[in-house]
Amino acid sequence: VDSFLNALDEASTHDDEGLSSDEEDDETTTPPFAILTGEDGSEKVKGIGPTAISALLSFSKEEALMKAARDLASVLTVHDDESRKVLDSTSNRSKDTNQKPSQFEGMTIVFTGTLPDMSRTIAQKKVKELGSKATPNTVSKATTLVVEGDKGGKKAKKARELGIRVIDSTEFMNMIDGDDDNTVD
């Protein structure tokens, strides 16, 4: 965030022609936001073109917007990609560092039938938030757990044939609510 705000500050001192590489007064001057456009020799950021750069330059010249950006940056915590990976894997765990990992951590979970308490999409999102690595629509040897709702049918049958654990929607709801100490084997 600091480097972005610094780039905005630097851009505010350039005129609108700062985008051109034909600066006569100093051939070593790097245009504002050159790191985004690849003009500094780095890889260009996809989706950043002249329109976005022009908008950033206009933004940098508005003191009220710059003040708002600085104020916002002072109260936000922005994480880099590496810390984001750590946060993603722990985002829905309690702040208590003694809490054990989610019982869904790293699992491949398939839902079948109608879940009475939530949609399948919500259920899939919930287990992903709790550490599941995938929620495909088909049962395979890679499947770790099948959650069977009303009228589960063929997927649950195939899972049982493959020796994959099948639970009903009530047990699933208890597990995500943390109402029991089930561990998925």
Side-chain angles (χ1 to χ4, degrees):
V1 173
D2 290 334
S3 59
F4 180 72
L5 289 174
N6 290 339
L8 283 172
D9 283 334
E10 187 178 315
S12 69
T13 64
H14 282 77
D15 59 14
D16 289 337
E17 296 168 11
L19 285 175
S20 96
S21 57
D22 299 334
E23 293 199 23
E24 296 172 17
D25 57 339
D26 186 1
E27 291 181 15
T28 62
T29 301
T30 305
F33 307 108
I35 194 168
L36 298 177
T37 61
E39 292 180 47
D40 68 341
S42 63
E43 187 175 331
K44 180 179 178 181
V45 176
K46 186 175 181 179
I48 302 292
T51 302
I53 297 299
S54 177
L56 286 169
L57 285 169
S58 295
F59 182 98
S60 73
K61 296 186 186 317
E62 296 291 331
E63 189 52 42
L65 294 175
M66 290 295 293
K67 180 181 181 329
R70 285 187 204 97
D71 291 346
L72 183 59
S74 71
V75 297
L76 289 178
T77 302
V78 177
H79 300 279
D80 61 17
D81 288 341
E82 288 304 311
S83 62
R84 178 70 187 164
K85 289 176 188 173
V86 171
L87 285 174
D88 285 347
S89 70
T90 61
S91 64
N92 289 304
R93 294 186 198 146
S94 167
K95 299 288 184 209
D96 177 7
T97 57
N98 294 325
Q99 184 176 359
K100 64 182 180 181
S102 167
Q103 52 197 328
F104 297 107
E105 192 77 38
M107 296 181 74
T108 301
I109 302 172
V110 173
F111 293 89
T112 183
T114 304
L115 302 175
D117 297 322
M118 69 176 62
S119 71
R120 187 178 300 188
T121 303
I122 299 291
Q124 290 172 329
K125 182 178 178 186
K126 182 70 175 170
V127 296
K128 282 185 179 179
E129 288 172 355
L130 291 170
S132 170
K133 65 180 179 183
T135 57
N137 290 321
T138 59
V139 174
S140 71
K141 290 179 183 178
T143 304
T144 313
L145 177 70
V146 173
V147 178
E148 181 179 22
D150 296 333
K151 301 178 185 174
K154 294 178 185 177
K155 290 180 190 176
K157 180 180 177 186
K158 181 176 180 182
R160 287 184 181 97
E161 289 171 357
L162 292 172
I164 297 166
R165 182 171 177 202
V166 178
I167 62 173
D168 64 22
S169 58
T170 303
E171 186 176 355
F172 171 71
M173 292 304 294
N174 288 338
M175 288 171 72
I176 65 170
D177 290 339
D179 292 340
D180 63 17
D181 291 331
N182 285 338
T183 56
V184 179
D185 299 318

